[in-house]
Amino acid sequence: EDKVVQSPLSLVVHEGDTVTLNCSYEVTNFRSLLWYKQEKKAPTFLFMLTSSGIEKKSGRLSSILDKKELFSILNITATQTGDSAVYLCAVRFYNNNDMRFGAGTRLTVKP
Amino acid sequence: DAGITQSPRYKITETGRQVTLMCHQTWSHSYMFWYRQDLGHGLRLIYYSAAADITDKGEVPDGYVVSRSKTENFPLTLESATRSQTSVYFCASSGTGGPSTDTQYFGPGTRLTVL
């Protein structure tokens, strides 16, 4: 059965801390892995990863994929209270356009 | 540019009633998706569509029906609503060709309560 597992499920840090969110997957016909940020509304796109070892970066956020070990990490440096959200990882399949989401990591950044 | 919109944003209905949730996108994206989001389950794909008149089941399709007569619209119908279908429903769309195909853009969601 295809599955996407995120860890930790929740995390509380203080402003300025660096956090690492994990996403592991066991799927057939992997096509791409995507990260989304969800605050009190719809998910918004952060990164799409298709190749191993190539870091994607956007400001204080970065992400990398390891297709051999079947996982991805999302790093956030110098966290701010505005980073508080649920971070979702999703895998897209090749043969169809199905997409499987992990349960998410709820990040709380305290001032 | 409206992007992707959903209506209604909130809906309360009773068990056994038919309910239709609307989704409209202005980007001419080929792909459209319906998800439900529940505590403890994250986002689960209900149905998706690759183009007008082409739809396919996702992870949790039972109890739902979709249609796509026009590229920009993708309504989701609950034929006979049940309490277990109380959820937040998100519509999403993605483009055609290359990486843009994989990046999904989400609508604001519809909170549905079935009494």
Side-chain angles (χ1 to χ4, degrees), chain A residues 34-91:
Chain A
L34 296 93
W35 284 96
Y36 289 85
K37 177 182 181 182
Q38 186 175 25
E39 296 170 269
K40 291 182 181 177
K41 44 188 190 293
T44 54
F45 172 77
L46 293 175
F47 298 111
M48 184 184 74
L49 304 154
T50 56
S51 302
S52 280
I54 299 175
E55 186 182 51
K56 293 281 183 91
K57 207 168 166 62
S58 177
R60 296 176 293 101
L61 277 66
S62 63
S63 183
I64 198 161
L65 174 67
D66 186 329
K67 290 169 76 172
K68 184 178 176 186
E69 300 297 329
L70 308 182
F71 76 92
S72 173
I73 60 172
L74 175 69
N75 279 321
I76 308 174
T77 59
T79 52
Q80 303 171 357
T81 55
D83 295 327
S84 295
V86 174
Y87 290 84
L88 299 167
C89 167
V91 170

Side-chain angles (χ1 to χ4, degrees), chain B residues 5-114:
Chain B
T5 57
Q6 292 181 235
S7 62
R9 294 293 312 280
Y10 302 90
K11 176 76 177 177
I12 299 174
T13 191
E14 294 177 337
T15 301
R17 290 193 181 262
Q18 184 179 81
V19 177
T20 296
L21 309 184
M22 304 301 293
C23 178
H24 176 79
Q25 51 105 355
T26 60
W27 293 310
S28 298
H29 281 169
S30 288
Y31 293 96
M32 294 187 76
F33 307 81
W34 274 107
Y35 293 90
R36 60 178 291 175
Q37 188 171 37
D38 308 288
L39 279 173
H41 287 283
L43 277 159
R44 291 182 291 174
L45 182 66
I46 304 171
Y47 269 96
Y48 63 94
S49 169
D53 298 322
I54 300 175
T55 62
D56 209 344
K57 295 178 181 179
E59 191 182 352
V60 289
D62 294 342
Y64 302 95
V65 174
V66 293
S67 62
R68 189 135 178 241
S69 57
K70 293 184 177 181
T71 301
E72 60 267 29
N73 296 323
F74 191 38
L76 174 75
T77 297
L78 289 66
E79 292 189 302
S80 179
T82 65
R83 288 201 181 93
S84 65
Q85 292 177 309
T86 293
S87 187
V88 179
Y89 291 84
F90 286 103
C91 178
S93 70
S94 63
T96 54
S100 66
T101 303
D102 289 358
T103 305
Q104 295 188 357
Y105 298 91
F106 284 78
T110 294
R111 184 176 292 276
L112 175 68
T113 301
V114 182

